[in-house]
């Protein structure tokens, strides 16, 4: 029996009361089924549901696309609580996401994509993010809530032919719901522990026979998971707001014009990394964390990170405002469709951090507020020539500017913490107190490209697909760090390598902590990407493919400071890094059987990257954010499997797994891990000391060839099921259901050079839901995430505060639970 409007209104009113939010009506659009899908009852009667994707810039079944890809629809995202990319990783084992704050975020696919560590504005991701065909140049968008979307496609492996120069690891293709010419709406509200409140809603309908509009909103709030005893507040909270509107003009069946805009704001008290452990380095014992802490009579509020307490004394903020507008024109003309996508986007980042990770006034500020704008234009033509040839050809332009106003300021505890205790200056707090570096950073990035891909059906079963892209990139930047300190006569002076105070002992000491720098790096180059895929249909529902791709990630420039030479001059050779050059081989098998009730897809891949762009640290205190360097060669290879089954309309299940073997094939001059750093650097025939022995000699650099790449687990799995049973509640016909989603990843390294202190042990997370939904779109369910309250780290960070042995960590979310109510019409 259909739910009445009165009953539906009562449910929505109850949901509003529970979540203390004011949702706007929204709508569901039926989209493709994904593993673990819990689509509505009507879809459940269709075990042969076809998953439609646009991975090759045209709509087609995912099983016909010779690419390793995963598709998650809006129903799965909602039911599993996957409201952003971070949550999405728990459904897709080959996808990794690391974030210590929105700016310092990285998305990797198969372990590749971005250097592990703090972000450097002068390089780009190796995983492209596309929202409604618009390339997003900053990965900060991945920290935002999904807003009124239809589905998310994750394409694994190089996608440079169609998705751009910097998709050497893959692409994430996000498709929003379109304006509808039928009035529809949807509202969802959630309340949970940790004061979790979330509301998502949208409404769509016609304004005329040729004009339709859609509007969506999403808000998320949650109390922080870490208690700061210094301020009496919970930090690392969630505070997100997103708005999106779109207008569709369809004057004829052959022309569609879509104007869209979005605004997103985050303003949490975030993001603290807290004491995780101490790991002895080769620094003298009196300059390591235990001795330094004892000198101040200081101890962290807890030595167990999972007590979830900290005492950081600097202001914390992660205010991020991101948005933009796009105009998409689709015109069916001739044998295909001409598409133009014009877009402007902006990002305003206003952070506050505590980068000494303690309650001591060592470093008061390390903040890099920045403003970004980007403009993109793509024009492409996609179509078919007869029954044998499909094609896509186009041009793409990208222009980006970033302006950053950085500041680093030292406090009263800096002298004792950062200067050698044998120095008479270490006991004088005034020497480093008030030492300030003001960093002005500018960046301009221009890119133009022409691309094409051809799909030739040689026979009904054999298809040959070549693709090519030619790209030109130009990057220019400037880094100007002006350092001001107090001279021994008590006057404020510029800290420099020349001038009347250059040899003042206070200025010399300050220069060793924060050195002034000015340099103007630049990079420009042409590059050619190409690929060739052979696809063969073995049987109606079995397709095999093989791919070779030559891809690249454009070169970059260092915009976070570089090491100085002995005379204090910046090492200009470190001002830029060469492009990554990628050779990728892949074979795959896509199958369906049991009357298409079961799907099994397999992929094997081998990726080698020369001149891999790695983020490194050289131990100089002034280069806190690290800089870039090229590793000689890395290799990633592995096997992936995705299986889903729906034996009846009552039950569905899925399991996905990935084995990934990864290593630096050649990196002979890498930075050393903390246990092999901090001591006096060897010279001549001297032999480095044992790891972790205070006062031992340290190597100038380390050969880490053969070691793990950071952030990659050898094994990763996602798995789950859902069972439903028809029931009638208060006269409403529907289904009671129970679902489970779990994921596991094995041990991985959390440092660019693998350290004995920063390996993160493997862990498994389990999420459950129990609910009731009706044929007419009502869905009510209770959920629990990390049900067994597993204690795990998302990241560990070494080299904090000058290699004192302090390891800071970011604990993963504890057990959370709540109730969700959704209704659509």
């Amino acid at each position: 029996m259909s739910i009445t409007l009165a009953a539906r209104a009562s449910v929505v009113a109850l949901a509003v009361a529970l979540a203390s939010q004011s949702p706007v009506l929204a709508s569901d659009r039926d989209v493709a089924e994904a593993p673990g899908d819990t689509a509505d009852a009507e879809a459940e009667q269709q075990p042969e549901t076809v998953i439609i994707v646009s991975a090759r810039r045209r709509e087609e079944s995912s099983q016909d696309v010779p690419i390793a890809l995963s598709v998650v629809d809006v129903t799965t995202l909602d039911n599993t609580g996957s409201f952003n990319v971070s949550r999405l990783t728990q459904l897709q084992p080959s996808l990794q996401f690391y974030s210590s704050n929105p700016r310092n975020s990285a998305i990797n696919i198969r372990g590749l994509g971005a250097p592990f560590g703090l972000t450097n504005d002068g390089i780009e991701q190796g995983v492209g993010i596309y929202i409604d065909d618009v390339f997003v140049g900053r990965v900060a968008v991945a920290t935002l809530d999904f807003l009124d979307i239809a589905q998310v496609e994750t394409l694994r492996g190089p996608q440079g032919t169609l998705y751009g120069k910097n998709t050497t690891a893959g692409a994430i293709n996000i498709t929003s719901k379109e304006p509808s010419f039928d009035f529809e709406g949807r509202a969802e509200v959630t309340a949970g522990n940790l004061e979790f409140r979330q509301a998502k809603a949208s409404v769509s309908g016609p304004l005329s026979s040729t004009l339709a509009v859609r509007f969506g909103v999403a808000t998320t709030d949650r109390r922080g998971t870490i208690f700061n005893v210094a301020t009496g507040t919970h930090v690392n909270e969630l505070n997100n707001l997103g708005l999106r509107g779109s207008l569709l003009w369809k004057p004829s069946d052959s022309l569609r014009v879509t104007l869209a805009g979005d605004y997103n704001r985050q303003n949490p008290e975030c993001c603290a990394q807290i004491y995780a452990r101490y790991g002895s380095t080769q620094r003298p014992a009196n300059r390591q964390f235990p001795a330094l802490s004892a000198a101040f009579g200081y101890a962290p509020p807890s030595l167990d990170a999972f007590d979830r307490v900290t005492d950081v004394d600097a202001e914390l903020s992660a205010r991020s405002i991101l948005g933009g507008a796009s105009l998409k024109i689709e015109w069916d003309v001739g044998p295909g469709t001409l598409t133009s996508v014009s877009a402007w986007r902006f990002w305003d980042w206003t952070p506050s951090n505590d980068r000494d990770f303690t309650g001591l006034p060592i470093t008061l500020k390390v903040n890099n507020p920045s403003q970004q704008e980007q403009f993109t234009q793509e024009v492409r033509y996609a179509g078919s020539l007869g029954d044998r040839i499909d094609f896509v050809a186009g041009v793409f332009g990208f222009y980006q500017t970033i302006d950053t106003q950085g500041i680093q300021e030292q406090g009263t505890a800096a002298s004792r913490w950062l200067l050698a205790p044998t120095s008479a200056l270490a006991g004088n707090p005034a020497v480093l107190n008030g030492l300030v570096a003001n960093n002005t950073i500018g960046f301009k990035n221009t890119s133009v490209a022409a691309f094409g891909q051809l799909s030739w059906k040689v026979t009904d079963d054999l298809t040959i697909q070549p693709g090519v892209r030619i790209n030109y990139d130009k990057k220019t930047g400037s880094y100007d760090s002006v350092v001001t300190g107090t001279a021994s006569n008590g006057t404020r002076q510029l800290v420099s390598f020349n001038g009347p105070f250059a040899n003042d002992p206070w200025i010399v000491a300050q220069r060793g902590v924060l050195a002034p720098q000015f340099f103007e790096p630049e990079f420009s180059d042409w590059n050619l990407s190409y690929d060739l895929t052979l696809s063969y249909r073995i049987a109606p529902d079995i397709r095999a493919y093989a791919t070779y791709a030559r891809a690249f990630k454009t070169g970059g420039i260092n915009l976070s400071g570089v090491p100085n030479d002995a005379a204090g001059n910046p090492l200009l050779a470190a001002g830029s890094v060469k492009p990554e050059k990628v050779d990728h081989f892949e074979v795959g098998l896509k199958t369906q059987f049991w009357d298409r009730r079961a799907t099994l897809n397999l992929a094997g891949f081998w990726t080698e990257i020369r001149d891999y762009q790695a983020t490194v640290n050289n131990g100089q205190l002034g280069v806190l954010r690290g800089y870039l360097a090229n590793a000689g060669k890395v290799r990633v290879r592995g096997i992936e499997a995705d299986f889903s089954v729906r034996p009846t309309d009552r039950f569905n299940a899925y399991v996905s797994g990935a084995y990934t073997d990864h290593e630096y094939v050649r990196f002979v001059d890498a930075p050393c891990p903390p246990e092999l750093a901090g001591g006096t650097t060897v010279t001549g025939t001297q032999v480095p000391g044992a790891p972790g022995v205070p006062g031992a000699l340290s190597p100038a650099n380390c050969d880490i060839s053969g070691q793990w790449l950071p952030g990659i687990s050898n094994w990763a799995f996602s798995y789950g099921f859902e069972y439903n049973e028809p029931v009638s509640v208060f006269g409403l016909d529907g289904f009671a259901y129970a679902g489970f989603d779990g994921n596991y990843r094995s041990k991985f390294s959390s440092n660019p050079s693998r350290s004995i202190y920063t390996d993160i042990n493997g862990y498994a997370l389990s999420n459950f839901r129990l609910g009731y939904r009706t044929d007419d779109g009502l869905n009510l369910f209770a959920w629990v995430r990390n049900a067994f309250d597993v204690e795990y780290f998302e990241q560990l960070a070494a080299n904090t505060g000058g290699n004192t042995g302090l390891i800071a960590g970011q604990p993963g979310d504890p057990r959370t639970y709540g109730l969700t109510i959704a209704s659509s019409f």
Side-chain angles (χ1 to χ4, degrees):
M1 182 178 70
S2 298
I3 185 171
T4 66
L5 290 178
R8 186 186 303 277
S10 298
V11 169
V12 173
L14 173 62
V16 173
L18 284 174
S20 300
Q21 302 283 350
S22 298
V24 181
L25 294 179
S27 101
D28 266 335
R29 185 187 77 169
D30 289 338
V31 292
E33 174 192 350
D37 183 24
T38 56
D40 60 26
E42 184 174 324
E44 290 173 6
Q45 306 299 324
Q46 304 293 331
E48 298 183 13
T49 300
V50 176
I51 305 174
I52 301 299
V53 298
S54 57
R56 293 193 290 184
R57 300 300 197 188
R58 56 183 182 270
E59 292 189 350
E60 55 191 330
S61 167
S62 64
Q63 289 299 106
D64 292 334
V65 180
I67 298 172
L69 61 85
S70 301
V71 187
V72 181
D73 72 355
V74 63
T75 309
T76 302
L77 294 173
D78 289 344
N79 287 345
T80 59
S82 304
F83 57 85
N84 56 25
V85 172
S86 177
R87 295 289 184 89
L88 187 63
T89 60
Q90 297 189 21
L91 297 176
Q92 301 187 2
S94 295
L95 180 66
Q96 298 94 30
F97 179 71
Y98 304 101
S99 179
S100 57
N101 61 43
R103 183 177 185 269
N104 292 310
S105 300
I107 299 176
N108 285 355
I109 295 176
R110 295 170 173 170
L112 301 174
F116 197 85
L118 295 174
T119 296
N120 191 311
D121 285 333
I123 66 163
E124 300 178 45
Q125 296 276 324
V127 175
I129 302 176
Y130 286 79
I131 302 177
D132 298 324
D133 286 351
V134 175
F135 171 69
V136 180
R138 302 300 297 172
V139 76
V141 71
T143 66
L144 302 174
D145 292 358
F146 290 138
L147 179 57
D148 200 24
I149 68 168
Q151 66 183 35
V152 180
E153 302 168 26
T154 303
L155 286 62
R156 306 193 292 270
Q159 307 296 326
T161 299
L162 294 184
Y163 284 87
K165 55 188 169 55
N166 292 323
T167 52
T168 51
I172 296 177
N173 188 26
I174 300 174
T175 303
S176 301
K177 293 180 179 179
E178 296 180 345
S180 170
F181 284 95
D182 295 318
F183 185 64
E184 60 184 30
R186 184 177 188 276
E188 175 184 300
V189 291
T190 299
N193 68 323
L194 300 179
E195 300 174 18
F196 182 81
R197 296 174 300 173
Q198 185 177 71
K200 297 185 289 184
S202 66
V203 63
S204 183
L207 298 179
S208 70
S209 60
T210 60
L211 200 62
V213 67
R214 185 176 198 95
F215 179 75
V217 60
T219 67
T220 302
D221 291 281
R222 190 185 71 182
R223 194 192 74 194
T225 57
I226 305 294
F227 184 70
N228 188 351
V229 299
T231 61
T233 61
H234 287 87
V235 300
N236 294 10
E237 62 186 7
L238 297 177
N239 186 326
N240 302 341
L241 169 67
L243 306 170
R244 185 179 189 278
S246 56
L247 191 66
L248 170 63
W249 179 48
K250 190 176 180 182
S252 68
D253 290 339
S254 61
L255 180 63
R256 295 168 55 90
V257 180
T258 305
L259 177 65
D262 66 279
Y263 172 88
N264 301 272
R265 187 218 66 206
Q266 295 176 314
N267 193 25
E269 187 175 357
C270 190
C271 303
Q273 291 179 291
I274 67 177
Y275 179 96
R277 62 182 63 135
Y278 162 70
S280 179
T281 74
Q282 292 178 325
R283 208 178 195 197
N286 60 5
R287 300 195 66 193
Q288 297 204 38
F289 186 79
L292 290 170
S293 299
F296 286 96
Y298 170 79
S302 175
L303 300 182
D304 183 351
F306 297 101
D307 287 339
R308 300 182 185 272
V309 293
T310 187
D311 62 348
V312 294
D313 55 339
E315 179 186 0
L316 295 181
S317 176
R319 182 177 175 84
S320 180
I321 299 177
L322 188 150
S326 65
L327 178 66
K328 183 176 181 179
I329 303 172
E330 300 167 280
W331 181 27
D332 296 334
V333 56
T337 300
L338 180 66
T339 302
S340 170
V341 184
S342 310
W344 162 76
R345 296 202 64 81
F346 71 92
W347 181 38
D348 189 356
W349 168 237
T350 310
S352 295
N353 303 298
D354 192 319
R355 286 296 175 190
D356 60 48
F357 307 97
T358 73
L360 294 171
I362 303 167
T363 302
L364 305 181
K365 297 178 182 178
V366 184
N367 307 331
N368 285 270
S370 63
Q371 305 80 43
Q372 181 215 263
E373 282 191 288
Q374 69 165 65
F375 301 87
T376 58
Q377 175 63 56
E378 181 172 343
V379 178
R380 66 177 183 268
Y381 188 64
S384 301
L385 299 176
D387 297 330
R388 294 294 183 185
I389 294 179
D390 297 326
F391 65 90
V392 180
V395 293
F396 174 77
F398 173 77
Y399 179 71
Q400 176 190 44
T401 62
I402 303 177
D403 294 300
T404 301
Q405 309 83 41
I407 184 171
Q408 180 169 336
E409 180 178 350
Q410 306 304 140
T412 56
S415 297
R416 179 65 183 87
W417 197 271
L418 299 176
L419 301 179
T422 54
S423 167
L425 300 181
N428 188 344
V431 175
L432 295 185
N433 185 36
L435 178 67
V436 177
N438 292 107
N439 306 323
T440 303
I441 306 170
F443 178 61
K444 294 182 179 179
N445 182 7
T446 302
S447 180
V448 293
F451 60 89
Q453 188 181 86
L454 183 71
S455 183
W456 174 31
K457 300 176 184 177
V458 181
T459 69
D460 290 342
D461 298 321
L462 176 64
T463 301
I464 300 176
Q465 178 183 285
V468 65
R469 186 183 191 101
I470 187 169
N471 219 97
Y472 174 74
D473 293 281
K474 182 177 181 179
K475 293 179 170 70
T476 59
S478 62
Y479 180 88
D480 186 9
S481 180
V482 178
V483 182
T484 306
T486 302
S488 58
N489 64 2
T491 62
R492 296 289 288 174
Q493 301 290 337
L494 289 177
V495 176
S496 66
F497 290 90
N498 47 50
F501 286 87
N503 295 319
D504 183 284
W506 285 30
I507 298 296
V508 172
Q510 293 162 11
R511 203 165 56 215
V513 175
L514 291 177
Q517 270 194 355
F518 176 78
F519 60 98
E520 295 180 305
E522 62 180 31
F523 170 86
S524 63
D525 198 8
W526 289 88
N527 276 285
L528 182 70
S529 294
Y530 50 88
D531 55 46
L532 178 65
T533 298
L534 303 180
S535 167
Y536 187 76
R537 187 173 62 182
I538 300 171
D541 292 322
I542 302 177
R543 183 182 295 272
Y545 67 90
T547 296
Y548 167 73
R550 179 64 185 270
F552 80 100
K553 185 167 76 171
T554 184
I557 57 178
N558 276 307
L559 290 176
S560 295
V562 296
N564 285 327
D565 61 19
N569 300 311
L571 294 175
L572 297 182
S576 63
V577 289
K578 295 181 285 187
E580 293 183 352
K581 305 172 186 67
V582 182
D583 287 293
H584 174 79
F585 303 86
E586 184 164 336
V587 294
L589 189 66
K590 295 195 167 187
T591 71
Q592 287 185 310
F593 50 95
W594 196 9
D595 294 329
R596 295 187 178 177
R597 295 176 182 269
T599 299
L600 174 63
N601 295 333
L602 304 171
F605 60 91
W606 187 305
T607 305
E608 294 184 346
I609 302 179
R610 288 175 292 151
D611 295 325
Y612 174 78
Q613 295 170 359
T615 298
V616 301
N617 295 289
N618 74 325
Q620 292 187 10
L621 295 172
V623 191
L624 285 181
R625 304 191 71 82
Y627 65 100
L628 298 172
N630 289 109
K633 186 177 181 180
V634 303
R635 184 197 67 225
V636 176
R637 58 188 177 185
I639 299 174
E640 300 167 336
D642 297 291
F643 175 72
S644 62
V645 62
R646 187 185 292 271
T648 74
D649 55 6
R650 305 276 76 82
F651 179 80
N652 68 82
Y654 70 94
V655 60
S656 298
Y659 170 75
T660 308
D661 176 57
H662 50 96
E663 69 174 20
Y664 292 103
V665 176
R666 180 174 173 80
F667 198 0
V668 298
D669 56 352
C672 295
E675 61 267 29
L676 285 170
T680 301
T681 303
V682 298
T683 59
T685 59
Q686 291 180 314
V687 178
V693 175
L697 293 174
S698 297
N701 48 55
C702 286
D703 183 353
I704 61 172
S705 304
Q707 291 188 14
W708 280 2
L709 292 169
I712 311 178
S713 295
N714 286 134
W715 294 96
F717 295 95
S718 299
Y719 37 86
F721 69 87
E722 183 178 291
Y723 176 78
N724 67 76
E725 189 69 35
V727 297
S728 179
V729 178
F730 300 121
L732 301 178
D733 292 333
F735 297 83
Y737 64 91
F740 164 77
D741 298 282
N743 63 91
Y744 166 80
R745 64 178 305 183
S746 61
K747 179 186 291 188
F748 64 96
S749 167
S750 187
N751 198 59
S753 295
R754 189 179 181 190
S755 168
I756 58 176
Y757 305 132
T758 56
D759 274 1
I760 294 180
N761 292 328
Y763 57 86
L765 303 179
S766 300
N767 311 316
F768 297 89
R769 61 186 181 275
L770 180 67
Y772 170 76
R773 59 175 172 261
T774 70
D775 294 350
D776 287 344
L778 171 66
N779 192 7
L780 167 66
F781 63 97
W783 50 267
V784 57
R785 298 182 60 84
N786 189 8
F788 303 112
D789 205 19
V790 174
E791 297 179 344
Y792 67 100
F793 285 107
E794 293 181 348
Q795 287 181 276
L796 291 170
N799 291 319
T800 55
N803 204 29
T804 65
L806 169 62
I807 307 296
Q810 190 168 324
D813 281 353
R815 180 193 296 116
T816 57
Y817 51 86
L819 179 69
T820 296
I821 303 176
S823 182
S824 61
F825 62 89

